[in-house]
Amino acid sequence: MSAPPSADNQSGTTVTGTLTRRWTRGAESGGVLEVDGKSLTVTGLLPAAPVGATLHAELSGHTLIHAERVVTSGEIDLAFYGLMTGIQRAGALALTRRWGDSASQMVAAATRGTPPPPPAAPSVVRAMCHHARRQARLRQTLSDLSETGLWPEHAARLLAAQGAGATAFVRGNPYLAVQYGVPLEVLDTMARRLGISAFDPRRGSALALALVNEAAADGHTGLPRGVLAGKLTEQHALESTEIGAALKAACAGGLLEEDAGWLYTPQALRTERWLAGDVIRVMEADITALGPAPSERLSEDQRAAVGLACREALCVITGGPGTGKTTTIGAVITSLEAAGLTTLLCAPTGKAAARLEQATGRAALTLHRLLGHDGTHFGSGMLQAGAVVVDEASMLSNELLGALLRCVPDGGRVILVGDPDQLPPVDPGWPLPALIGRVPAARLSRVHRQGASSPVLELAGMLIGGERPASTGVAFTETGSAREVVALAHAHITADGPPIILSAGRNGALGTRALNAAMQQNFNPGSGALRPGDPVIVTVNDRQSGLMNGQTGVVLSAGHTVEAEFGGEAHRFTLNGPLELAYALSVHRAQGSEWNAVMVCLSPEHARLLTRTLAYTAVTRARTTLIACGLRAAWDTCAATPQPARHSRLRERLS
């Protein structure tokens, strides 16, 4: 087994500073420390620490000999008040950031009757005082955990499970904290501080779970034993006997479960098993076949799809852009309601639900709202409806589809509608392709919304087919910087404003962060992170306001708070509320939405994300006008890169 990296026993200059940047160039890594107001660039292995953390470093010139993180009182307070729940949490975090290392003293003074200076809202301060009184032991636990090397930003899930006993838990075996999302690098730091050997066999089971969790982040529900064993050898140099012992210990300790030669986390295995069981239960229900409502507007393939939805308890309707999926949904609803069935419409995101509602003229909800998601768990009550229609079904994960089907009563009908060529869900699993061929399905192929010779559709077809895009009628402009993208946006501005920009990733010169900053500076100059007139997007589901992740709006005013309009209604947020600029969005965030004019900007700097499905999803967000830009090599990479397969046994479980 390979040991975790350790410091050389050399001597040199010692400094204490704030980490302002981390970087990696090939095999070399390092960062920038701010020391006494000056920037110091260092090379060498940095500890597990985010930008903004304080480091105590030993240097030989600019080379790191050794560095340790120093946890400040402000960092502990930020994690502590992050444990709050309710509407005052965002305000408490904003105050904690503003007060820094003085946060504890400010709250203690307020508890004694001395209010902090403005702009601290009294209601937020009262909530912080209440939290400090009731959960004082947890703050001390955060401090104790920091002494073991478990940094505050990684402790929330551990504290939720172990409470004030978390310190004793990690001292017994720090590697068990892997099940609460603590990174391996942090686990190794904890083990070293606790005097545990780098070759301790308990590390092997943590490595196994960390790799399965890493695979889950890439969408896999589990890993075949041979694949996991190969990763343990390639990435951590474990030998076959060590691998066997590690997997046996991981399963015996409840970190992993083995099923038919695959390794899963217990939750992922339950989710996949339950999903398969509910698919079979709903699909095999004894229902009465219904007659489709007559409609002369439907094409032959649309009529076939409506007939399928009227006959089957569970079915899938697929089709590419412009093939009339929404029209088909409307005809399905008309037929079901004509037979006396109450029908619910829903979609995975707020934007997709709003678009479905606008297109059909019927109320549509997000799946999270329909299923009573409280921010952590889905509700378990049965849906009071005869049928459920789900649009944008390609975005459904195993967990989300499983939560829906568990709430469908026996004899209920479910119609899933989507495009299997679009991006898979962010969370583990990709049930839509697995269902096709296992449940009744219909495919829409005739294009209605745009002509068959539409340049957008021609480009989409080339990309998904793996053909290098050329001569489609969609003009391509080479742009290597945010400034050039902004200039291109100016050239395509309309009465509705500039086109929406889609990028593969957030970081880099052509990532959404840089593009949003450049667009805001050019189209809405001024001061402040958010300004009146800025387009914004909601980044989390907000039960208090009723706004859902993915909904877009416009800033009305910005000061100590931000007021923004969504769907004709004004909502107020704290400065650190769940809003981001939306001049540019990631392709994943744009999925489920459409715009008249779309600019797709792809760059090789996001090479890990570039696939056929990403480019296809991006270009099909355009209703009428598509502007292609970025670097041509990135578009070629997309066409040459199929979507990686996701490890899952759902299809086998449905056989």
Side-chain angles (χ1 to χ4, degrees):
M1 179 192 299
S2 64
S6 60
D8 296 330
N9 293 319
Q10 305 177 44
S11 60
T13 305
T14 59
V15 298
T16 299
T18 302
L19 182 64
T20 60
R21 182 176 163 231
R22 300 180 70 111
W23 52 265
T24 301
R25 300 190 190 101
E28 191 179 50
S29 63
V32 179
L33 295 176
E34 184 177 316
V35 181
D36 296 330
K38 297 180 180 180
S39 293
L40 175 64
T41 300
V42 297
T43 59
L45 185 65
L46 289 167
V51 169
T54 300
L55 299 184
H56 185 73
E58 188 175 357
L59 303 171
S60 175
H62 287 271
T63 302
L64 275 172
I65 299 172
H66 181 61
E68 286 284 350
R69 181 173 173 183
V70 179
V71 177
T72 65
S73 174
E75 289 173 315
I76 293 174
D77 284 328
L78 194 62
F80 176 62
Y81 291 108
L83 299 174
M84 290 174 60
T85 57
I87 61 175
Q88 306 297 354
R89 179 179 181 274
L93 290 174
L95 283 180
T96 304
R97 291 188 183 96
R98 183 178 298 121
W99 291 336
D101 289 344
S102 301
S104 290
Q105 293 91 325
M106 290 287 195
V107 173
T111 302
R112 295 191 297 269
T114 304
S123 59
V124 174
V125 175
R126 285 195 298 272
M128 294 175 74
C129 292
H130 181 71
H131 183 69
R133 284 194 302 270
R134 293 197 60 185
Q135 303 293 347
R137 291 182 65 197
L138 291 186
R139 192 194 183 285
Q140 183 59 50
T141 302
L142 280 166
S143 180
D144 294 341
L145 288 171
S146 295
E147 293 298 319
T148 71
L150 178 52
W151 315 129
E153 65 270 18
H154 299 302
R157 287 177 56 191
L158 175 63
L159 284 175
Q162 301 293 332
T167 305
F169 176 83
V170 299
R171 287 187 181 278
N173 179 3
Y175 286 111
L176 287 177
V178 68
Q179 63 192 296
Y180 301 114
V182 180
L184 181 63
E185 189 177 4
V186 176
L187 297 175
D188 286 333
T189 298
M190 295 163 62
R192 186 170 64 248
R193 288 194 176 191
L194 293 171
I196 295 175
S197 166
F199 297 96
D200 191 294
R202 292 176 294 182
R203 186 172 185 260
S205 58
L207 294 177
L209 178 56
L211 287 171
V212 172
N213 284 338
E214 184 180 293
D218 288 333
H220 305 291
T221 59
L223 288 177
R225 186 184 181 98
V227 172
L228 180 55
K231 290 178 177 290
L232 286 167
T233 297
E234 294 165 10
Q235 298 183 28
H236 300 288
L238 265 66
E239 298 177 355
S240 58
T241 54
E242 293 176 310
I243 292 172
L247 298 183
K248 181 178 180 180
C251 292
L255 299 179
L256 295 175
E257 287 190 29
E258 187 165 6
D259 179 66
W262 286 53
L263 278 302
Y264 296 81
T265 64
Q267 180 60 47
L269 180 57
R270 284 194 298 271
T271 298
E272 189 171 270
R273 282 173 170 169
W274 289 350
L275 173 56
D278 279 318
V279 166
I280 293 169
R281 175 183 66 83
V282 174
M283 180 173 60
E284 295 183 350
D286 185 16
I287 64 166
T288 301
L290 307 175
S295 175
E296 297 180 359
R297 298 184 305 112
L298 300 180
S299 63
E300 183 177 345
D301 56 0
Q302 288 175 321
R303 283 195 294 270
V306 174
L308 183 74
C310 289
R311 294 191 308 271
E312 302 292 344
L314 173 63
C315 70
V316 173
I317 300 174
T318 65
T323 55
K325 295 189 293 295
T326 303
T327 299
T328 304
I329 288 173
V332 168
I333 297 167
T334 299
S335 298
L336 296 178
E337 290 181 344
L341 292 181
T342 301
T343 304
L344 297 174
L345 273 69
C346 55
T349 67
K351 187 73 173 181
R355 187 166 59 86
L356 180 61
E357 182 171 304
Q358 182 180 23
T360 62
R362 292 171 168 85
L365 299 173
T366 65
L367 275 161
H368 285 79
R369 182 173 294 179
L370 176 67
L371 301 175
H373 194 263
D374 62 3
T376 306
H377 303 290
F378 288 100
S380 57
M382 287 293 173
L383 296 174
Q384 301 302 306
V388 180
V389 179
V390 185
D391 196 14
E392 298 292 348
S394 62
M395 300 173 70
L396 295 174
S397 64
N398 277 13
E399 181 186 27
L400 191 52
L401 180 57
L404 170 65
L405 295 184
R406 276 198 302 278
C407 294
V408 174
D410 291 342
R413 301 166 189 252
V414 178
I415 299 97
L416 304 175
V417 184
D419 184 349
D421 289 330
Q422 287 193 26
L423 281 169
V426 174
D427 294 327
W430 195 2
L432 184 63
L435 294 179
I436 297 172
R438 295 293 189 268
V439 305
R443 180 162 182 84
L444 307 177
S445 56
R446 180 182 170 188
V447 176
H448 299 267
R449 189 180 70 206
Q450 299 160 310
S453 60
S454 160
V456 173
L457 296 185
E458 186 176 353
L459 176 58
M462 294 178 72
L463 289 166
I464 202 65
E467 187 177 351
R468 181 178 176 179
S471 303
T472 63
V474 176
F476 175 80
T477 303
E478 191 93 2
T479 55
S481 68
R483 179 180 57 81
E484 293 173 333
V485 174
V486 170
L488 187 60
H490 270 291
H492 289 85
I493 196 168
T494 67
D496 296 328
I500 187 74
I501 302 174
L502 303 184
S503 173
R506 290 173 61 84
N507 299 320
L510 295 181
T512 57
R513 284 196 179 100
L515 293 173
N516 270 316
M519 289 289 289
Q520 182 192 50
Q521 189 59 36
N522 279 268
F523 285 92
N524 195 17
S527 60
L530 296 177
R531 305 163 190 168
D534 279 338
V536 288
I537 186 168
V538 180
T539 57
V540 297
N541 294 332
D542 188 343
R543 289 174 59 85
Q544 294 298 127
S545 66
L547 296 174
M548 306 304 290
N549 185 2
Q551 285 187 256
T552 54
V554 178
V555 174
L556 299 176
S557 64
H560 294 312
T561 60
V562 175
E563 188 178 19
E565 180 183 342
F566 294 86
E569 294 185 7
H571 297 268
R572 194 169 294 277
F573 303 84
T574 66
L575 291 178
N576 293 288
L579 295 180
E580 290 183 357
L581 289 172
Y583 294 97
L585 300 175
S586 70
V587 179
H588 273 94
R589 277 213 174 277
Q591 193 171 2
S593 301
E594 291 179 348
W595 295 269
N596 289 330
V598 174
M599 179 184 297
V600 180
C601 180
L602 300 180
S603 169
E605 63 191 341
H606 304 128
R608 186 173 178 272
L609 302 172
L610 299 179
T611 64
R612 295 172 188 169
T613 51
L614 180 130
Y616 172 88
T617 302
V619 302
T620 54
R621 299 310 90 204
R623 291 194 190 100
T624 56
T625 302
L626 174 66
I627 305 106
C629 65
L631 300 177
R632 188 173 292 278
W635 289 84
D636 293 343
T637 297
C638 285
T641 309
Q643 181 66 35
R646 290 193 168 188
H647 290 297
S648 169
R649 294 192 63 247
L650 179 59
R651 183 180 289 271
E652 287 77 10
R653 295 183 196 280
L654 296 175
S655 298

